[in-house]
Amino acid sequence: MTDVAVLGGGIGGLTAAHELAERGLDVTVFEANDRFGGKARSMPIADEPAALHGEHGFRFFPAFYRHVVETMERIPTDGGTVADNLVETEATLIASTTAPERIAETSTPDSLRGWLEALRPAFAEDLPRDDVRFLLERLLYLLTACEQRREAELDDISWWEFIDAENRSAEFRDRLAYATQALVALRPQVGSARTVGTIYLQLLFGQLDPSEPTERILNAPTNEAWIDPWVRHLETLGVEFRANTPARGLAFDGRRITGVELADGRTVAADEFVLAVPVEVAPAFVTPELRRAAPELGRIEHLETAWMNGIQFYLSEDVELTRGHQVYADAPWALTSISQRQFWTDYDLEKRGPDDVAGVLSVIASDWETPGIVHEKPARECTRGEIAEEIWAQLKTHLNAVDRRLRDDMLVDWFLDPSIIETENGVENRSPLLINTVGSLRNRPPADVGVRNLTLASDYVRTNSDLASMESANEAGRRAANAVLDRRGGRGRAQIWELREPAVFEPLKRQDRLRYRLGLPHPAAVTQSLRGVTRRLGERV
């Protein structure tokens, strides 16, 4: 018998366990896989003690990631904390097959010219002036809209519709509308304007805040730099970990959860249960009885997912590219990458297998529906080998225009996310990503649902961070822990932060809050409507 049974050892589950164990509760974490960390975990590419690690996809920590970084600051390792393993990036390479490469600085500006450059979105460079002006107007609309309007109105329209992409220039669509797919695997035609717009602003504010690094990444594979020290620390707090122990259901007596049924037939009892499994797994735990007791649980099955999975190329030469991300603007499979070796300053590749590896290029593919350039079919219809060949080819078409940065003879090996499983008709994805589609907010449950000893801790929970991410999962874990702590009383609560937006816009938000209560539109919507009428009249004349 344990105080709290946490089902799922990803970021949400580990965070809930951390907050509860620090406050003296007895916690047991059950994880279906052999390693903890969920989608954030890294894993050896071979059954050897010193094998290199592959990942579901590379990690990055933008400035608005407050919850997850604060947790890392409380995990001791090597005389410091895990947060010391975060390294700041400097620039993003935007590579194209049809235009010259562009470099977008990610460090905080240190001059007036730098600040002016940062205020202009990187993807907006060289856009028609009317498009840039329109984009800024749309962002100001978001900044001055009250939260009630964002939830009720902006969650019900797509980012594509909100930025009027259909009627803007082709450059605008390519660089701004479709940029969301490379960032969050979310097609702009289906992504919620509320979510995409909010995160777009947070990324922009992160670059303008001199008190925080714009974005950081880890200085080693994720498990070695973060997850394994985290698990060791939680063990010192008394947390019990059970890997390779999948759960298959919850026993419910109509009022409370009485136990968790494990795949091996055993039932584990606890006072509290935290369901921290991914969105594609959670509906299997929601019985008709649970759905009647907590209707919000039944809506989880309506949430949608997309594929956003990673592959690592191990190279005989270290190809640094930029000290940050690379975005492949017109790659059919919406590719992004990081050249890792330059950040892994204390990580000895020479002592890791396979031999002759001097560089690691970690790539994420976010579009699995568009035909490629080699096999001329979507990624989901390819074999694993064809996926590797296709991604390598798309990288070369973007990076080799100036010089031969990537050559076939430097490719030592590759590692594709093992969640991509081959089938007779291509591949299936055992670990898809939650996407914030239009209207999906209403289907996202709170951490504290209507069952007296059940809470949720996963990135589909309603959070301030909103987007499916490590940050949202960490915040959900804190919210789940707070629900448990509130029921038990007197132990203090985990801190939750709101997203930060410039205070100068607060009076305008208050004004819009009043307009919304009165049933009036946002002032910018009225202006936009008048402009539309004027444009149509002009066309007739």
Side-chain angles (χ1 to χ4, degrees):
M1 179 77 172
T2 183
D3 291 337
V4 184
V6 178
L7 311 182
I11 302 302
L14 293 177
T15 301
H18 193 158
E19 299 295 342
L20 294 169
E22 279 192 339
R23 292 160 177 80
L25 274 69
D26 180 31
V27 181
T28 303
V29 179
F30 299 88
E31 168 57 41
N33 292 309
D34 61 348
R35 296 173 70 79
F36 295 91
K39 289 183 176 67
R41 76 188 187 280
S42 60
M43 59 214 90
I45 68 173
D47 294 328
E48 301 172 7
L52 282 165
H53 278 212
E55 310 210 32
H56 173 80
F58 55 76
R59 314 265 66 76
F60 91 108
F61 300 76
F64 74 91
Y65 275 29
R66 300 181 70 189
H67 296 90
V68 71
V69 172
E70 194 274 343
T71 294
M72 296 171 81
E73 291 170 346
R74 289 154 45 206
I75 305 171
T77 181
D78 298 331
T81 72
V82 161
D84 297 329
N85 293 331
L86 293 172
V87 184
E88 188 172 359
T89 65
E90 296 176 3
T92 297
L93 170 67
I94 304 168
S96 172
T97 59
T98 59
E101 292 181 353
R102 302 191 306 282
I103 302 292
E105 300 295 328
T106 56
S107 55
T108 302
D110 57 4
S111 67
L112 177 60
R113 180 183 178 87
W115 282 89
L116 292 173
E117 287 295 318
L119 283 169
R120 180 176 63 186
F123 288 104
E125 185 176 349
D126 300 328
L127 287 181
R129 184 172 299 178
D130 184 58
D131 282 347
V132 176
R133 183 173 60 248
F134 178 75
L135 173 66
L136 293 176
E137 289 177 355
R138 294 283 79 191
L139 296 181
L140 285 171
Y141 182 111
L142 281 164
L143 283 169
T144 56
C146 65
E147 185 57 35
Q148 295 93 326
R149 190 181 302 281
R150 291 187 191 186
E151 289 195 10
E153 296 180 6
L154 296 185
D155 196 62
D156 281 337
I157 63 172
S158 70
W159 178 244
W160 182 268
E161 181 181 357
F162 180 71
I163 62 174
D164 194 28
E166 199 68 44
N167 297 309
R168 312 313 300 183
S169 67
E171 294 87 354
F172 183 95
R173 288 192 293 272
D174 290 342
R175 298 184 196 173
L176 287 164
Y178 285 109
T180 62
Q181 192 157 8
L183 292 172
V184 293
L186 189 58
R187 289 191 300 112
Q189 293 90 341
V190 300
S192 155
R194 172 184 179 270
T195 294
V196 176
T198 297
I199 299 305
Y200 192 105
L201 288 172
Q202 288 299 311
L203 293 172
L204 178 60
F205 296 150
Q207 187 168 357
L208 302 178
D209 183 357
S211 67
E212 297 286 346
T214 300
E215 64 178 40
R216 291 177 284 182
I217 64 175
L218 290 166
N219 63 2
T222 307
N223 269 59
E224 298 193 24
W226 174 22
I227 304 299
D228 292 346
W230 196 4
V231 170
R232 290 194 295 268
H233 175 58
L234 295 186
E235 287 176 332
T236 68
L237 297 177
V239 176
E240 181 179 350
F241 288 93
R242 300 190 187 179
N244 293 310
T245 310
R248 66 181 182 188
L250 296 169
F252 180 58
D253 67 4
R255 296 180 303 111
R256 61 192 304 275
I257 304 298
T258 58
V260 54
E261 301 168 1
L262 302 179
D264 62 8
R266 291 178 295 151
T267 298
V268 175
D271 295 330
E272 298 277 352
F273 296 85
V274 178
L275 187 63
V277 297
V279 65
E280 71 275 10
V281 176
F285 288 83
V286 182
T287 62
E289 294 77 17
L290 269 175
R291 188 179 292 109
R292 285 193 292 270
E296 57 264 55
L297 291 174
R299 291 197 288 271
I300 296 174
E301 66 183 9
H302 299 299
L303 295 170
E304 296 183 41
T305 60
W307 293 19
M308 188 177 190
N309 298 71
I311 183 171
Q312 287 74 49
F313 293 104
Y314 304 103
L315 310 177
S316 60
E317 300 176 21
D318 185 22
V319 182
E320 289 190 0
L321 302 175
T322 49
R323 189 170 172 80
H325 294 86
Q326 296 83 48
V327 176
Y328 302 91
D330 46 8
W333 290 3
L335 305 181
T336 52
S337 71
I338 290 181
S339 182
Q340 299 278 26
R341 177 73 183 273
Q342 61 193 316
F343 298 103
W344 293 357
T345 52
D346 295 323
Y347 188 78
D348 192 349
L349 283 179
E350 294 180 358
K351 295 181 179 179
R352 310 275 175 157
D355 295 334
D356 302 322
V357 174
V360 180
L361 188 59
S362 186
V363 187
I364 291 177
S366 298
D367 186 336
W368 293 68
E369 309 290 342
T370 300
I373 62 175
V374 175
H375 298 286
E376 299 184 344
K377 55 185 177 180
R380 64 169 63 237
E381 295 179 11
C382 293
T383 65
R384 287 174 57 87
E386 289 172 341
I387 291 170
E389 291 171 3
E390 180 67 47
I391 293 176
W392 181 251
Q394 291 184 30
L395 292 175
K396 288 192 296 183
T397 62
H398 282 75
L399 294 175
N400 289 357
V402 177
D403 52 39
R404 294 185 64 205
R405 289 171 168 149
L406 298 182
R407 306 186 313 274
D408 291 341
D409 64 284
M410 67 171 59
L411 181 56
V412 177
D413 203 353
W414 54 266
F415 179 86
L416 178 63
D417 184 352
S419 298
I420 301 298
I421 307 297
E422 286 199 14
T423 68
E424 292 182 358
N425 300 314
V427 291
E428 67 177 53
N429 191 345
R430 301 279 176 85
S431 188
L433 180 75
L434 170 74
I435 53 174
N436 300 68
T437 54
V438 169
S440 62
L441 185 63
R442 64 178 61 93
N443 294 324
R444 295 175 63 187
D448 190 7
V449 293
V451 178
R452 65 178 58 181
N453 66 338
L454 176 66
T455 53
L456 306 179
S458 192
D459 60 11
Y460 55 83
V461 168
R462 282 198 184 205
T463 61
N464 296 330
S465 349
D466 192 50
L467 190 70
S469 61
M470 299 179 294
E471 173 71 358
S472 190
N474 184 284
E475 183 185 337
R478 290 168 181 252
R479 291 178 180 274
N482 285 343
V484 172
L485 295 167
D486 288 346
R487 288 196 284 264
R488 299 178 77 89
R491 297 174 184 262
R493 304 180 91 247
Q495 188 168 1
I496 305 290
W497 286 276
E498 300 285 338
L499 290 177
R500 291 178 288 194
E501 294 183 0
V504 67
F505 296 105
E506 189 55 39
L508 296 171
K509 289 179 185 175
R510 288 198 299 269
Q511 180 190 41
D512 188 53
R513 203 169 292 127
L514 176 60
R515 292 180 65 87
Y516 181 79
R517 286 201 295 266
L518 294 174
L520 298 173
H522 188 283
V526 176
T527 303
Q528 190 67 28
S529 177
L530 289 173
R531 285 181 181 168
V533 171
T534 302
R535 184 174 63 247
R536 288 193 294 274
L537 287 173
E539 290 170 353
R540 290 176 185 176
V541 173

